[in-house]
Amino acid sequence: MTKHNGNYTGTTRRKFLAKTVMTATAGLATSTMLGSSGCSNTIKHPSDLAVPGFIGQGDVVVLQGDSITDAGRNRQNEDRANDRGALGSGYAFLIAARLLAAQRDPELKVYNRGLSGNKVFQLADRWDKDCLALKPNVVSILIGVNDIWHKLNGRYDGTIEIYERDYRALLERTRRELARVKLVVCEPFVLRCGAVNDTWFPDFDGYRAAARRVASAFDAVFVPFQSMFDKATNDTPPAYWAGDGVHPTIAGAELMAQTWLDIVSPA
């Protein structure tokens, strides 16, 4: 892959979270939601997006991305499937825990190979080792925030077009090597607090749209994280879900995991 310029209270917790997920996703099938910069995005209800049986017996699931996926994972144990430390402390760990408990499949393997700071081309640089070599049946990718963040802070000169081109090339390569692989493309997201201000827009919404186009082109399952958080912030401050506007809090990670599972592996 060519390197681009730049450096590289009376309510129980369960009821509260269930209510939050319902609030964040209800009514999306028939309504048009406002995105983080005011742009409209027609989103289906998760029940319409859900893919029953997507994750099967003995599947290998690889979760890929940047620091949001990484979430402080122990790289020394990264080759151990279903290892608590290797899965980090974010949404990837929560997805793995719920999948393993629900499916009760000793052969199901879940790996977290997110790496802090990564942009799409850096995923490609390590794709052989951190994806293809694991022979996954399911690959889930959340990538894009660094492609704009590092541009804003002068460490990268990429564009939306480069992001989409590199993303497509990565998935083409994946499909060539793993013909039966099932793909999940997660919508990149930010919340208007912390490091995120008006300078991020409207470009950031272009990255979101590009990710959606990529998902459609490769018949991948699409998980609308930005739309989920936009809905959640209607009645809860953005910092509750992501203190710096980028990295989810515990509540944010739980909301992500529940939404991912509602779509990718519905009960």
Side-chain angles (χ1 to χ4, degrees):
M1 174 62 65
T2 302
K3 185 184 294 183
H4 305 304
N5 293 331
N7 302 321
Y8 298 85
T9 72
T11 303
T12 66
R13 175 179 177 275
R14 178 178 296 177
K15 288 180 180 178
F16 168 74
L17 288 168
K19 178 182 178 182
T20 300
V21 172
M22 291 173 65
T23 301
T25 57
L28 302 187
T30 57
S31 65
T32 298
M33 294 179 54
L34 288 179
S36 55
S37 67
C39 64
S40 62
N41 300 277
T42 302
I43 303 297
K44 294 182 179 180
H45 190 279
S47 63
D48 297 321
L49 297 169
V51 186
F54 191 81
I55 298 177
Q57 289 289 113
D59 273 358
V60 176
V61 181
V62 174
L63 296 150
Q64 268 287 2
D66 49 39
S67 57
I68 300 170
T69 304
D70 184 331
R73 67 183 177 90
N74 184 345
R75 290 169 179 71
Q76 292 183 336
N77 295 338
E78 67 179 13
D79 291 329
R80 300 180 189 174
N82 310 334
D83 182 88
R84 182 171 188 147
L87 287 166
S89 60
Y91 81 96
F93 168 77
L94 296 169
I95 286 171
R98 289 174 178 268
L99 273 178
L100 292 163
Q103 301 205 183
R104 303 187 183 190
D105 176 11
E107 302 303 316
L108 177 65
K109 296 179 174 62
V110 184
Y111 296 93
N112 177 357
R113 289 299 176 88
L115 190 59
S116 181
N118 269 196
K119 296 172 279 294
V120 178
F121 78 91
Q122 291 163 317
L123 289 186
D125 287 345
R126 59 186 181 85
W127 208 240
D128 286 345
K129 173 182 178 294
D130 286 341
C131 181
L132 303 181
L134 298 172
K135 303 296 182 185
N137 307 90
V138 178
V139 177
S140 175
I141 306 172
L142 171 58
I143 198 74
V145 70
N146 289 318
D147 293 76
I148 182 171
W149 200 357
H150 292 180
K151 180 179 180 180
L152 291 171
N153 63 24
R155 296 169 55 194
Y156 182 59
D157 62 358
T159 63
I160 296 169
E161 291 74 21
I162 289 173
Y163 169 80
E164 183 170 353
R165 182 197 69 194
D166 288 359
Y167 213 153
R168 287 174 178 267
L170 184 66
L171 296 193
E172 287 170 359
R173 174 181 168 192
T174 306
R175 278 270 166 80
R176 283 197 305 268
E177 297 294 328
L178 305 169
R180 297 181 180 275
V181 71
K182 292 168 283 190
L183 300 171
V184 180
V185 171
C186 299
E187 182 181 33
F189 66 88
V190 293
L191 290 85
R192 285 182 176 270
C193 60
V196 181
N197 53 42
D198 288 345
T199 65
W200 288 64
F201 306 98
D203 279 2
F204 184 72
D205 294 302
Y207 287 89
R208 293 171 53 203
R212 184 181 291 276
R213 288 192 297 268
V214 170
S216 178
F218 288 86
D219 197 25
V221 173
F222 185 75
V223 182
F225 282 148
Q226 182 68 66
S227 303
M228 173 199 76
F229 278 123
D230 285 344
K231 193 70 174 179
T233 57
N234 282 342
D235 57 11
T236 313
Y240 182 85
W241 305 109
D244 65 356
V246 173
H247 300 94
T249 60
I250 295 173
E254 174 67 5
L255 190 58
M256 290 175 68
Q258 288 196 24
T259 300
W260 192 97
L261 288 166
D262 283 347
I263 293 170
V264 178
S265 185

